[in-house]
Amino acid sequence: MRHFLTLNDFNKDELLSMLDLALELKVQALHGQVPPYLGGKVLAMIFEKSSTRTRVSFESGIYQLGGHGIFLSHKDIQLGRGEPIKDTARVISSMVDMVMMRTGAHERLEEFAEACSVPLINGLSDDFHPMQLMADYLTMIECGIYVPHFHALYPKEGRIPVVAYIGDGNNMAHSWINLAAILGFELRIATPEGYAPKDAILSRAQALCAQSGGKIIVGRDCKEAVSGANVVTTDTWASMGQEEQKKERERAFAGFCVDTAMMKLADSNAIFLHCLPAYRGQEVSEEVIDGAQSRVFREAQNRLHAQKGVMLYLARVNNIPLVRV
């Protein structure tokens, strides 16, 4: 069974195939002609952490593909009352065709996957947010950032994109690290001292870079990271579950706000991305997130199309019968 727990579950060609599907499905959606490939199929959506974009994009996505989504809050199912994860996984996967889970510890996803008899998709965990990165890369493609495989969209042949990630070394940073290592682009990360990405995740990615041609640099200097970058991105300083650390983190992250002055250091055609929700005046200024270089709302909308591509790809590789069109 092929699950999608992290970007590392797939190679470069497989991830690009999903993005090909996403682009195709987006064009079809814009013309109101999305075939019901997953007609009659059911997606169970388990939310141990609340969300706006993850719920709406997955529920709308499965519906547009002809299927149906079931929202399962941890408060409403036995998982929230202490039922073993493996028991919940066995039961739910015996009744549906695919599962999306948004949770805390990544180990919970891994345990669920071991007992799950249908494809499982990581909607977010404390360590990784792969669906967001699929949407981010799709947005880069659409915005004309040169990316391998889609090079015809950008005139600078042979140039790999430079992405600058400013802020917390969290699940978003980890997923950017994975994507850079697999697809082979340059990633520069700037974090305050004590907030760097996990060493194990970084070490594995650095080893992959030797094969892909990717380059990952982790430091403390925001200006150095952003200089000449094609993409500047960040995330909230205090993620869900870290609310009690908010004041401490605000002090630690002083100087890490992506503002107009910082964006001026990037490439003149650079775009700004943020997974949302954003806190204006903290990790990003009002002028940047609502400015001409911001693509955050296209990025958010691309969650829908990227995830449709992922769901359709997983259905195909796991031999789930599709509706013939």
Side-chain angles (χ1 to χ4, degrees):
M1 183 60 58
R2 298 292 301 277
H3 300 300
F4 200 145
L5 305 189
T6 79
L7 294 161
N8 289 329
D9 291 330
F10 301 92
N11 61 35
K12 175 180 177 179
D13 290 340
E14 291 172 324
L15 292 177
L16 293 177
S17 292
M18 293 180 208
L19 290 167
D20 275 329
L21 278 175
L23 285 166
E24 179 183 341
L25 291 166
K26 184 171 184 178
V27 171
Q28 291 171 339
L30 292 174
H31 290 87
Q33 300 173 343
V34 180
Y37 296 112
L38 299 181
K41 300 300 184 290
V42 179
L43 170 71
M45 304 180 298
I46 301 173
F47 284 84
E48 295 190 303
K49 285 191 173 184
S50 60
S51 173
T52 299
R53 283 150 290 276
T54 299
R55 178 175 180 181
V56 176
S57 57
F58 268 109
E59 195 160 347
S60 297
I62 189 67
Y63 178 80
Q64 289 183 13
L65 289 170
H68 180 73
I70 302 175
F71 173 74
L72 300 170
S73 166
H74 72 285
K75 298 177 181 178
D76 302 324
I77 59 176
Q78 298 301 327
L79 192 63
R81 298 180 62 226
E83 181 177 41
I85 293 175
K86 62 182 180 182
D87 291 354
T88 297
R90 287 169 180 162
V91 171
I92 290 178
S93 63
S94 72
M95 301 177 183
V96 303
D97 303 282
M98 200 171 294
V99 178
M100 185 283 298
M101 188 174 184
R102 183 176 168 95
T103 188
H106 190 74
E107 291 74 17
R108 292 181 67 78
L109 272 168
E110 295 174 331
E111 186 177 352
F112 196 102
E114 288 181 5
C116 188
S117 59
V118 298
L120 174 64
I121 300 171
N122 179 3
L124 175 139
S125 68
D126 288 346
D127 283 343
F128 302 102
H129 198 356
M131 293 303 103
Q132 182 64 53
L133 266 293
M134 295 298 284
D136 290 359
Y137 206 69
L138 179 60
T139 306
M140 289 169 60
I141 294 165
E142 290 183 330
C143 291
I145 304 298
Y146 173 82
V147 291
H149 179 71
F150 294 100
H151 61 273
L153 297 175
Y154 197 72
K156 298 178 182 178
E157 293 288 343
R159 178 184 175 185
I160 65 172
V162 176
V163 176
Y165 176 91
I166 308 299
D168 190 20
N170 58 12
N171 53 5
M172 281 299 297
H174 293 159
S175 293
W176 274 112
I177 286 169
N178 287 347
L179 194 68
I182 297 167
L183 297 189
F185 59 85
E186 182 173 339
L187 174 66
R188 304 171 188 163
I189 297 175
T191 69
E193 186 174 356
Y195 293 92
K198 290 185 176 180
D199 289 339
I201 292 171
L202 185 59
S203 295
R204 186 183 191 281
Q206 295 287 17
L208 287 175
C209 283
Q211 304 170 20
S212 70
K215 185 177 182 181
I216 301 171
I217 303 167
V218 179
R220 303 280 180 264
D221 193 324
C222 298
K223 293 180 179 180
E224 191 173 300
V226 170
S227 180
N230 306 108
V231 179
V232 180
T233 185
T234 186
D235 191 13
T236 178
W237 293 340
S239 299
M240 195 177 301
Q242 298 175 334
E243 289 79 6
E244 74 284 354
Q245 304 173 26
K246 187 174 181 181
K247 293 299 181 183
E248 175 187 343
R249 284 172 169 265
E250 285 178 6
R251 289 191 293 270
F253 283 82
F256 282 78
C257 176
V258 179
D259 56 15
T260 302
M262 193 178 295
M263 286 299 297
K264 285 182 178 179
L265 298 173
D267 183 88
S268 59
N269 295 314
I271 61 173
F272 173 75
L273 300 178
H274 191 305
C275 63
L276 301 179
Y279 297 89
R280 289 164 168 80
Q282 293 187 19
E283 73 271 12
V284 60
S285 70
E286 188 97 30
E287 294 76 17
V288 169
I289 194 169
D290 292 328
Q293 292 174 282
S294 176
R295 298 294 183 273
V296 298
F297 295 105
R298 174 187 284 201
E299 173 191 9
Q301 200 253 0
N302 274 338
R303 285 286 300 274
L304 168 66
H305 306 295
Q307 289 162 190
K308 284 189 293 185
V310 168
M311 287 189 285
L312 183 54
Y313 184 89
L314 287 175
R316 288 176 175 175
V317 299
N318 285 295
N319 299 313
I320 295 174
L322 304 178
V323 173
R324 293 187 178 183
V325 294

